[in-house]
Amino acid sequence: AVSERETEFAEIAVVADTDELTPPCGSCRQIIWEFCGDVPVIFSNLSGKNEILKMSELLPRAFDTKFLK
C-alpha cells in the first residue's frame, strides 16, 4: 500500500485460512505502528470467526519517532 502512495489507514485486516485467528508477526506489528499508528486490526478466518484489537494492544510501549529526539 505504501509503495502505491497510500498513507492513510482507518484499519488493517489479517485474514488467514486457519482455525485459530492469526495475528501479524512482530516485524509487521512495528511496520503497522509506524505507518498506521493505533489503528484497529481485524483478525478473521475463512470460517467467519473475527476479533478486533487496537495496535496498542498488540504492540504495547511501541517504539516510534518520539524516541529519536
Side-chain angles (χ1 to χ4, degrees), residues 22-63:
T22 304
C25 73
S27 295
C28 290
R29 292 176 195 211
Q30 181 64 37
I31 291 168
I32 293 168
W33 184 267
E34 289 178 19
F35 286 101
C36 305
D38 196 17
V39 295
V41 180
I42 304 162
F43 305 95
S44 187
N45 66 14
L46 300 184
S47 299
K49 186 175 178 183
N50 297 294
E51 181 178 359
I52 301 173
L53 294 172
K54 298 280 284 185
M55 270 306 301
S56 57
E57 296 173 274
L58 293 170
L59 190 63
R61 300 183 68 182
F63 179 86

